[in-house]
């Protein structure tokens, strides 16, 4: 039951109704018998600063930020860890002694999930589609994991070029993706393509190698990337593993406890039915 000793946590997004984080984090709090509560807030970008300030004033203990706030939220921190600074975005904030401490657990959640699924990064070529906060975390994870070559592409090409310069990788126009697919061992969709029913695959994957892997960060919809992978009998994964692992890393930052990720996966499967 909530009382004056309850520690409060939140996720800020726009939209946020689809988020699984409240169910996951509250289940972990309950399992660990912690007097904590986690709630979602739908926050328009123009109101992000005021919302963060309000949660700080109200004494919240932790905040997650999701699309489209991951980069903007960096501006309001008192401290950001090394990975967050290099990535240029955060998804987890801890409030301690009136200060905001920012972390990026997206990259570590992504890396952990690839390892658990035996997807090799070191020495291989990868393509990242998308140029937002999720793409930044993925690129950092791939570089940290020793990828041989990383391409980035995006429907708005100038955004891909900007990230390519920042991370010292190669930007590719969407029309040129088919040319490099045969040598790509990992294709990651870090874009919003698939969130709408009308979304279509932005490029053909007919010439993709049969030993390649497609990883779609979207976990709650049958995206064009997943459909194409099934049609072409390509091994694929969706983002539920990354979602759970990044949440677990955030939970540990807040509480010092490593939560049960297997129970979270079972809960997620029920949530998506």
């Amino acid at each position: 039951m909530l009382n004056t000793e309850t520690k409060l946590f939140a996720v800020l997004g726009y939209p946020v109704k689809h988020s699984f984080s409240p169910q996951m984090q509250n289940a972990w709090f309950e399992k660990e018998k912690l007097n904590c509560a986690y709630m979602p807030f739908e926050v328009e970008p123009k109101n992000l600063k005021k919302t963060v300030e309000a949660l700080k004033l109200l004494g919240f203990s932790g905040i997650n930020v999701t699309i489209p706030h991951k980069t903007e939220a960096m501006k309001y921190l008192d401290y950001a860890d090394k990975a967050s600074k290099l990535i240029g975005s955060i998804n987890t904030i801890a409030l301690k002694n009136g200060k905001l401490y920012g972390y990026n657990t997206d990259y570590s959640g992504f890396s952990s999930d690839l390892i658990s699924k035996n997807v090799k990064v070191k020495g291989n070529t990868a393509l990242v589609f998308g140029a937002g906060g999720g793409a930044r975390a993925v690129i950092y994870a791939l570089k940290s994991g020793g990828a041989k070559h990383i391409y980035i592409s995006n429907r708005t090409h100038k955004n891909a070029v900007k990230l390519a310069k920042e991370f010292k990788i190669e930007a590719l126009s969407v029309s040129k993706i088919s040319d490099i697919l045969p040598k790509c061992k990992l294709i990651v969709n870090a874009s919003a393509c698939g969130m709408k029913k009308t979304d279509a695959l932005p490029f053909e994957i007919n010439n993709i190698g049969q030993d390649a892997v497609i990883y779609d960060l979207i976990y709650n919809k049958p995206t064009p990337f997943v459909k194409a992978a099934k049609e072409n009998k390509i091994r694929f994964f969706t983002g539920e593993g990354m979602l759970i692992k990044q949440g677990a890393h955030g939970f540990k930052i807040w509480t010092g406890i490593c939560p049960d990720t297997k129970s979270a996966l079972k809960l997620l499967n029920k949530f998506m039915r």
Side-chain angles (χ1 to χ4, degrees), residues 7-172:
K7 292 183 178 180
L8 300 176
F9 298 82
V11 57
L12 311 181
Y14 190 73
V16 79
K17 292 177 182 178
H18 66 282
S19 177
F20 171 66
S21 292
Q23 286 82 354
M24 176 171 64
Q25 297 289 351
N26 283 320
W28 283 336
F29 287 142
E30 184 177 354
K31 186 166 187 176
E32 298 297 335
K33 295 180 172 56
L34 298 175
N35 186 6
C36 301
Y38 184 108
M39 57 203 81
F41 293 104
E42 191 158 281
V43 179
E44 292 186 47
K46 66 181 180 181
N47 295 325
L48 179 63
K49 182 179 180 181
K50 289 187 289 186
T51 302
V52 171
E53 289 174 347
L55 296 181
K56 180 180 177 180
L57 193 64
L58 289 168
F60 272 64
S61 296
I63 304 170
N64 281 140
V65 290
T66 186
I67 295 172
H69 303 315
K70 293 183 180 185
T71 302
E72 181 68 17
M74 290 281 291
K75 297 178 183 178
Y76 314 129
L77 301 175
D78 297 296
Y79 167 85
D81 70 348
K82 180 181 177 181
S84 297
K85 290 177 181 177
L86 292 172
I87 294 167
S89 71
I90 59 164
N91 68 321
T92 302
I93 300 173
L95 289 86
K96 303 173 185 176
N97 302 316
K99 302 289 185 180
L100 301 178
Y101 295 78
Y103 306 88
N104 191 303
T105 66
D106 280 334
Y107 93 90
S108 53
F110 179 70
S111 295
S112 298
D113 201 39
L114 290 184
I115 292 170
S116 71
K117 292 175 168 58
N118 295 314
V119 177
K120 184 182 176 184
V121 171
K122 189 174 183 179
N124 282 334
T125 296
L127 166 70
V128 178
F129 188 78
R136 287 175 168 273
V138 167
I139 293 167
Y140 182 80
L142 294 174
K143 292 199 75 172
S144 300
K148 179 182 178 182
H149 199 100
I150 303 170
Y151 294 98
I152 180 172
S153 187
N154 191 58
R155 280 173 288 196
T156 304
H157 185 58
K158 66 179 182 180
N159 293 342
V161 171
K162 181 181 177 181
L163 253 66
K165 288 180 179 178
E166 194 173 327
F167 285 96
K168 295 181 174 57
I169 58 176
E170 185 173 348
L172 205 65

